[in-house]
Amino acid sequence: DQAYNCLIHFYKRNLSSKKGKMGDADAGKKIFTKACAQCHTVESGGKHKQGPNLSGLFGRKTGQGSGFSYTQANKDKGITWAEDTLDIYLTNPKKYIPGTKMVFAGLKKKKDRLNLIQYLKQATA
């Protein structure tokens, strides 16, 4: 009976948390605020800054957000943004897309990237 209650508590806690399989969106929001918000917005109809607005990011090809002046390297990369491609990109943007004008050095910790990606999935949908 005690084990049963423990399982119920476990499932309730997991269902109610904002953690996805891939990361923690709340932790990702903190990373976004600290490392990304200076150059990017996420809300639909948000303005472009030094970097493009990221609304609708998942499923979009590189260099295809409307109204932003992308580098040729970004346009030519031709990959579609998804969890896997963002994970590689956010590790070292200039290595993944040589010629990008994104000056961000990257996130070395896998957990930080996964948290940021989880936040972006929710915030840019």
mmCIF file of all heavy atoms in Angstrom, residues 27-43 54 116 119-120 123-124:
data_model
loop_
_atom_site.group_PDB
_atom_site.id
_atom_site.type_symbol
_atom_site.label_atom_id
_atom_site.label_comp_id
_atom_site.label_asym_id
_atom_site.label_seq_id
_atom_site.Cartn_x
_atom_site.Cartn_y
_atom_site.Cartn_z
ATOM 1 N N ALA A 27 14.220 26.103 -16.418
ATOM 2 C CA ALA A 27 15.673 26.321 -16.405
ATOM 3 C C ALA A 27 16.115 26.898 -17.748
ATOM 4 O O ALA A 27 16.996 27.759 -17.811
ATOM 5 C CB ALA A 27 16.407 25.015 -16.114
ATOM 6 N N GLY A 28 15.497 26.436 -18.832
ATOM 7 C CA GLY A 28 15.812 26.945 -20.168
ATOM 8 C C GLY A 28 15.472 28.408 -20.338
ATOM 9 O O GLY A 28 16.192 29.145 -21.011
ATOM 10 N N LYS A 29 14.379 28.835 -19.720
ATOM 11 C CA LYS A 29 13.987 30.251 -19.799
ATOM 12 C C LYS A 29 15.054 31.128 -19.151
ATOM 13 O O LYS A 29 15.383 32.207 -19.657
ATOM 14 C CB LYS A 29 12.636 30.478 -19.131
ATOM 15 C CG LYS A 29 12.150 31.914 -19.259
ATOM 16 C CD LYS A 29 10.765 32.095 -18.717
ATOM 17 C CE LYS A 29 10.295 33.535 -18.974
ATOM 18 N NZ LYS A 29 8.910 33.730 -18.586
ATOM 19 N N LYS A 30 15.622 30.661 -18.037
ATOM 20 C CA LYS A 30 16.684 31.422 -17.366
ATOM 21 C C LYS A 30 17.908 31.531 -18.275
ATOM 22 O O LYS A 30 18.534 32.592 -18.353
ATOM 23 C CB LYS A 30 17.058 30.750 -16.040
ATOM 24 C CG LYS A 30 15.976 30.898 -14.992
ATOM 25 C CD LYS A 30 16.336 30.189 -13.707
ATOM 26 C CE LYS A 30 15.192 30.337 -12.720
ATOM 27 N NZ LYS A 30 14.997 29.166 -11.897
ATOM 28 N N ILE A 31 18.233 30.449 -18.962
ATOM 29 C CA ILE A 31 19.365 30.466 -19.897
ATOM 30 C C ILE A 31 19.067 31.428 -21.042
ATOM 31 O O ILE A 31 19.910 32.232 -21.435
ATOM 32 C CB ILE A 31 19.670 29.050 -20.431
ATOM 33 C CG1 ILE A 31 20.161 28.160 -19.288
ATOM 34 C CG2 ILE A 31 20.704 29.103 -21.561
ATOM 35 C CD1 ILE A 31 20.171 26.686 -19.624
ATOM 36 N N PHE A 32 17.842 31.369 -21.569
ATOM 37 C CA PHE A 32 17.458 32.265 -22.667
ATOM 38 C C PHE A 32 17.600 33.725 -22.237
ATOM 39 O O PHE A 32 18.173 34.541 -22.953
ATOM 40 C CB PHE A 32 16.025 31.988 -23.137
ATOM 41 C CG PHE A 32 15.639 32.842 -24.315
ATOM 42 C CD1 PHE A 32 15.947 32.436 -25.607
ATOM 43 C CD2 PHE A 32 15.012 34.064 -24.130
ATOM 44 C CE1 PHE A 32 15.630 33.240 -26.700
ATOM 45 C CE2 PHE A 32 14.697 34.872 -25.217
ATOM 46 C CZ PHE A 32 14.998 34.452 -26.499
ATOM 47 N N THR A 33 17.077 34.034 -21.060
ATOM 48 C CA THR A 33 17.122 35.409 -20.553
ATOM 49 C C THR A 33 18.561 35.893 -20.413
ATOM 50 O O THR A 33 18.890 37.016 -20.780
ATOM 51 C CB THR A 33 16.384 35.502 -19.202
ATOM 52 O OG1 THR A 33 15.027 35.082 -19.403
ATOM 53 C CG2 THR A 33 16.395 36.911 -18.657
ATOM 54 N N LYS A 34 19.429 35.018 -19.923
ATOM 55 C CA LYS A 34 20.825 35.390 -19.673
ATOM 56 C C LYS A 34 21.660 35.420 -20.958
ATOM 57 O O LYS A 34 22.484 36.301 -21.148
ATOM 58 C CB LYS A 34 21.421 34.385 -18.679
ATOM 59 C CG LYS A 34 22.793 34.765 -18.157
ATOM 60 C CD LYS A 34 23.255 33.769 -17.096
ATOM 61 C CE LYS A 34 23.791 32.531 -17.777
ATOM 62 N NZ LYS A 34 24.372 31.544 -16.873
ATOM 63 N N ALA A 35 21.434 34.452 -21.850
ATOM 64 C CA ALA A 35 22.350 34.271 -22.981
ATOM 65 C C ALA A 35 21.780 34.643 -24.348
ATOM 66 O O ALA A 35 22.551 34.843 -25.279
ATOM 67 C CB ALA A 35 22.821 32.808 -23.029
ATOM 68 N N CYS A 36 20.454 34.742 -24.478
ATOM 69 C CA CYS A 36 19.864 34.876 -25.818
ATOM 70 C C CYS A 36 18.991 36.124 -26.007
ATOM 71 O O CYS A 36 18.909 36.655 -27.113
ATOM 72 C CB CYS A 36 19.001 33.655 -26.139
ATOM 73 S SG CYS A 36 19.734 32.070 -25.742
ATOM 74 N N ALA A 37 18.322 36.551 -24.936
ATOM 75 C CA ALA A 37 17.313 37.619 -25.052
ATOM 76 C C ALA A 37 17.895 38.959 -25.487
ATOM 77 O O ALA A 37 17.163 39.811 -25.988
ATOM 78 C CB ALA A 37 16.553 37.769 -23.731
ATOM 79 N N GLN A 38 19.191 39.142 -25.331
ATOM 80 C CA GLN A 38 19.810 40.387 -25.782
ATOM 81 C C GLN A 38 19.663 40.527 -27.300
ATOM 82 O O GLN A 38 19.525 41.625 -27.817
ATOM 83 C CB GLN A 38 21.285 40.379 -25.383
ATOM 84 C CG GLN A 38 22.030 41.631 -25.784
ATOM 85 C CD GLN A 38 23.492 41.597 -25.347
ATOM 86 O OE1 GLN A 38 23.862 40.839 -24.463
ATOM 87 N NE2 GLN A 38 24.309 42.410 -25.967
ATOM 88 N N CYS A 39 19.669 39.395 -28.013
ATOM 89 C CA CYS A 39 19.632 39.426 -29.482
ATOM 90 C C CYS A 39 18.376 38.813 -30.098
ATOM 91 O O CYS A 39 18.156 38.981 -31.304
ATOM 92 C CB CYS A 39 20.853 38.692 -30.046
ATOM 93 S SG CYS A 39 22.431 39.462 -29.613
ATOM 94 N N HIS A 40 17.585 38.061 -29.331
ATOM 95 C CA HIS A 40 16.422 37.360 -29.896
ATOM 96 C C HIS A 40 15.156 37.584 -29.083
ATOM 97 O O HIS A 40 15.211 37.719 -27.868
ATOM 98 C CB HIS A 40 16.665 35.839 -29.916
ATOM 99 C CG HIS A 40 17.749 35.403 -30.828
ATOM 100 N ND1 HIS A 40 17.593 35.278 -32.186
ATOM 101 C CD2 HIS A 40 19.033 35.025 -30.573
ATOM 102 C CE1 HIS A 40 18.723 34.848 -32.727
ATOM 103 N NE2 HIS A 40 19.623 34.694 -31.769
ATOM 104 N N THR A 41 14.010 37.571 -29.773
ATOM 105 C CA THR A 41 12.696 37.516 -29.136
ATOM 106 C C THR A 41 12.058 36.187 -29.540
ATOM 107 O O THR A 41 12.488 35.562 -30.518
ATOM 108 C CB THR A 41 11.789 38.682 -29.589
ATOM 109 O OG1 THR A 41 11.670 38.660 -31.021
ATOM 110 C CG2 THR A 41 12.347 40.028 -29.150
ATOM 111 N N VAL A 42 11.058 35.738 -28.784
ATOM 112 C CA VAL A 42 10.433 34.441 -29.070
ATOM 113 C C VAL A 42 8.953 34.534 -29.398
ATOM 114 O O VAL A 42 8.397 33.626 -30.017
ATOM 115 C CB VAL A 42 10.604 33.451 -27.878
ATOM 116 C CG1 VAL A 42 12.050 33.038 -27.738
ATOM 117 C CG2 VAL A 42 10.074 34.022 -26.585
ATOM 118 N N GLU A 43 8.292 35.606 -28.993
ATOM 119 C CA GLU A 43 6.844 35.679 -29.146
ATOM 120 C C GLU A 43 6.440 35.898 -30.602
ATOM 121 O O GLU A 43 7.173 36.487 -31.395
ATOM 122 C CB GLU A 43 6.251 36.768 -28.251
ATOM 123 C CG GLU A 43 6.676 38.182 -28.584
ATOM 124 C CD GLU A 43 8.051 38.572 -28.022
ATOM 125 O OE1 GLU A 43 8.662 37.788 -27.276
ATOM 126 O OE2 GLU A 43 8.520 39.670 -28.375
ATOM 127 N N LEU A 54 12.419 34.317 -33.026
ATOM 128 C CA LEU A 54 12.476 32.862 -33.132
ATOM 129 C C LEU A 54 11.113 32.178 -33.173
ATOM 130 O O LEU A 54 11.039 30.953 -33.172
ATOM 131 C CB LEU A 54 13.306 32.297 -31.965
ATOM 132 C CG LEU A 54 14.749 32.803 -31.898
ATOM 133 C CD1 LEU A 54 15.439 32.277 -30.644
ATOM 134 C CD2 LEU A 54 15.521 32.430 -33.149
ATOM 135 N N LEU A 116 17.387 24.682 -22.686
ATOM 136 C CA LEU A 116 17.099 25.807 -23.582
ATOM 137 C C LEU A 116 16.195 25.358 -24.730
ATOM 138 O O LEU A 116 15.223 26.037 -25.071
ATOM 139 C CB LEU A 116 18.393 26.411 -24.126
ATOM 140 C CG LEU A 116 18.230 27.548 -25.129
ATOM 141 C CD1 LEU A 116 17.417 28.702 -24.539
ATOM 142 C CD2 LEU A 116 19.584 28.030 -25.611
ATOM 143 N N TYR A 119 12.652 24.963 -23.554
ATOM 144 C CA TYR A 119 12.026 26.276 -23.433
ATOM 145 C C TYR A 119 11.639 26.823 -24.814
ATOM 146 O O TYR A 119 10.524 27.295 -25.021
ATOM 147 C CB TYR A 119 12.952 27.271 -22.728
ATOM 148 C CG TYR A 119 12.459 28.695 -22.843
ATOM 149 C CD1 TYR A 119 11.320 29.114 -22.158
ATOM 150 C CD2 TYR A 119 13.100 29.606 -23.680
ATOM 151 C CE1 TYR A 119 10.832 30.402 -22.308
ATOM 152 C CE2 TYR A 119 12.626 30.894 -23.823
ATOM 153 C CZ TYR A 119 11.492 31.289 -23.137
ATOM 154 O OH TYR A 119 11.004 32.569 -23.292
ATOM 155 N N LEU A 120 12.557 26.735 -25.765
ATOM 156 C CA LEU A 120 12.283 27.246 -27.110
ATOM 157 C C LEU A 120 11.106 26.527 -27.757
ATOM 158 O O LEU A 120 10.313 27.141 -28.466
ATOM 159 C CB LEU A 120 13.531 27.142 -27.990
ATOM 160 C CG LEU A 120 14.660 28.115 -27.653
ATOM 161 C CD1 LEU A 120 15.905 27.776 -28.462
ATOM 162 C CD2 LEU A 120 14.234 29.554 -27.879
ATOM 163 N N ALA A 123 8.107 28.194 -26.075
ATOM 164 C CA ALA A 123 7.991 29.651 -26.248
ATOM 165 C C ALA A 123 7.820 30.076 -27.699
ATOM 166 O O ALA A 123 7.273 31.134 -27.976
ATOM 167 C CB ALA A 123 9.215 30.338 -25.645
ATOM 168 N N THR A 124 8.291 29.247 -28.651
ATOM 169 C CA THR A 124 8.241 29.651 -30.067
ATOM 170 C C THR A 124 7.127 28.965 -30.837
ATOM 171 O O THR A 124 6.966 29.208 -32.028
ATOM 172 C CB THR A 124 9.582 29.366 -30.772
ATOM 173 O OG1 THR A 124 9.815 27.947 -30.797
ATOM 174 C CG2 THR A 124 10.739 30.060 -30.079
#
